[in-house]
mmCIF file of all heavy atoms in Angstrom:
data_model
loop_
_atom_site.group_PDB
_atom_site.id
_atom_site.type_symbol
_atom_site.label_atom_id
_atom_site.label_comp_id
_atom_site.label_asym_id
_atom_site.label_seq_id
_atom_site.Cartn_x
_atom_site.Cartn_y
_atom_site.Cartn_z
ATOM 1 N N GLU A 41 -15.380 34.202 6.980
ATOM 2 C CA GLU A 41 -16.538 33.705 7.684
ATOM 3 C C GLU A 41 -17.036 34.775 8.651
ATOM 4 O O GLU A 41 -16.260 35.560 9.186
ATOM 5 C CB GLU A 41 -16.200 32.421 8.461
ATOM 6 C CG GLU A 41 -16.015 31.199 7.575
ATOM 7 C CD GLU A 41 -14.666 31.181 6.862
ATOM 8 O OE1 GLU A 41 -13.719 31.861 7.324
ATOM 9 O OE2 GLU A 41 -14.567 30.495 5.836
ATOM 10 N N PRO A 42 -18.355 34.809 8.877
ATOM 11 C CA PRO A 42 -18.892 35.832 9.782
ATOM 12 C C PRO A 42 -18.383 35.651 11.207
ATOM 13 O O PRO A 42 -18.161 34.532 11.655
ATOM 14 C CB PRO A 42 -20.410 35.619 9.708
ATOM 15 C CG PRO A 42 -20.611 34.267 9.131
ATOM 16 C CD PRO A 42 -19.387 33.933 8.343
ATOM 17 N N ALA A 43 -18.175 36.764 11.878
ATOM 18 C CA ALA A 43 -17.736 36.730 13.273
ATOM 19 C C ALA A 43 -18.862 36.192 14.141
ATOM 20 O O ALA A 43 -20.027 36.158 13.742
ATOM 21 C CB ALA A 43 -17.342 38.138 13.724
ATOM 22 N N GLY A 45 -21.841 35.893 16.370
ATOM 23 C CA GLY A 45 -22.956 36.808 16.557
ATOM 24 C C GLY A 45 -23.387 37.531 15.289
ATOM 25 O O GLY A 45 -24.431 38.164 15.253
ATOM 26 N N ALA A 46 -22.566 37.465 14.233
ATOM 27 C CA ALA A 46 -22.919 38.132 12.976
ATOM 28 C C ALA A 46 -23.923 37.276 12.218
ATOM 29 O O ALA A 46 -23.993 36.062 12.379
ATOM 30 C CB ALA A 46 -21.675 38.352 12.131
ATOM 31 N N ASP A 47 -24.707 37.913 11.391
ATOM 32 C CA ASP A 47 -25.712 37.223 10.591
ATOM 33 C C ASP A 47 -25.005 36.456 9.470
ATOM 34 O O ASP A 47 -24.351 37.058 8.621
ATOM 35 C CB ASP A 47 -26.683 38.247 10.004
ATOM 36 C CG ASP A 47 -27.832 37.596 9.250
ATOM 37 O OD1 ASP A 47 -27.816 36.357 9.081
ATOM 38 O OD2 ASP A 47 -28.741 38.333 8.838
ATOM 39 N N PRO A 48 -25.126 35.103 9.439
ATOM 40 C CA PRO A 48 -24.440 34.335 8.392
ATOM 41 C C PRO A 48 -24.954 34.642 6.989
ATOM 42 O O PRO A 48 -24.262 34.419 6.004
ATOM 43 C CB PRO A 48 -24.710 32.876 8.769
ATOM 44 C CG PRO A 48 -25.760 32.891 9.800
ATOM 45 C CD PRO A 48 -25.828 34.266 10.383
ATOM 46 N N LEU A 49 -26.159 35.199 6.881
ATOM 47 C CA LEU A 49 -26.690 35.560 5.564
ATOM 48 C C LEU A 49 -25.931 36.740 4.956
ATOM 49 O O LEU A 49 -25.867 36.872 3.736
ATOM 50 C CB LEU A 49 -28.176 35.889 5.646
ATOM 51 C CG LEU A 49 -29.092 34.687 5.903
ATOM 52 C CD1 LEU A 49 -30.540 35.146 6.042
ATOM 53 C CD2 LEU A 49 -28.957 33.644 4.823
ATOM 54 N N ASP A 50 -25.348 37.569 5.814
ATOM 55 C CA ASP A 50 -24.549 38.680 5.291
ATOM 56 C C ASP A 50 -23.391 38.159 4.452
ATOM 57 O O ASP A 50 -23.101 38.680 3.375
ATOM 58 C CB ASP A 50 -24.003 39.558 6.429
ATOM 59 C CG ASP A 50 -25.094 40.394 7.076
ATOM 60 O OD1 ASP A 50 -26.182 40.542 6.460
ATOM 61 O OD2 ASP A 50 -24.864 40.894 8.191
ATOM 62 N N ALA A 51 -22.730 37.103 4.944
ATOM 63 C CA ALA A 51 -21.616 36.519 4.202
ATOM 64 C C ALA A 51 -22.107 35.847 2.928
ATOM 65 O O ALA A 51 -21.449 35.891 1.890
ATOM 66 C CB ALA A 51 -20.870 35.520 5.068
ATOM 67 N N LEU A 52 -23.296 35.246 3.010
ATOM 68 C CA LEU A 52 -23.848 34.561 1.846
ATOM 69 C C LEU A 52 -24.094 35.515 0.689
ATOM 70 O O LEU A 52 -23.885 35.192 -0.472
ATOM 71 C CB LEU A 52 -25.147 33.845 2.234
ATOM 72 C CG LEU A 52 -25.846 33.034 1.167
ATOM 73 C CD1 LEU A 52 -24.962 31.878 0.729
ATOM 74 C CD2 LEU A 52 -27.172 32.530 1.669
ATOM 75 N N PHE A 53 -24.529 36.726 1.012
ATOM 76 C CA PHE A 53 -24.863 37.688 -0.032
ATOM 77 C C PHE A 53 -23.763 38.717 -0.285
ATOM 78 O O PHE A 53 -23.958 39.655 -1.042
ATOM 79 C CB PHE A 53 -26.180 38.396 0.304
ATOM 80 C CG PHE A 53 -27.351 37.452 0.274
ATOM 81 C CD1 PHE A 53 -27.997 37.096 1.445
ATOM 82 C CD2 PHE A 53 -27.777 36.897 -0.914
ATOM 83 C CE1 PHE A 53 -29.062 36.224 1.423
ATOM 84 C CE2 PHE A 53 -28.834 36.014 -0.948
ATOM 85 C CZ PHE A 53 -29.490 35.673 0.231
ATOM 86 N N ALA A 54 -22.616 38.539 0.353
ATOM 87 C CA ALA A 54 -21.506 39.472 0.149
ATOM 88 C C ALA A 54 -20.899 39.249 -1.228
ATOM 89 O O ALA A 54 -20.741 38.120 -1.687
ATOM 90 C CB ALA A 54 -20.446 39.272 1.225
#
Side-chain angles (χ1 to χ4, degrees):
E41 287 77 21
D47 185 354
L49 289 177
D50 288 343
L52 182 64
F53 294 110

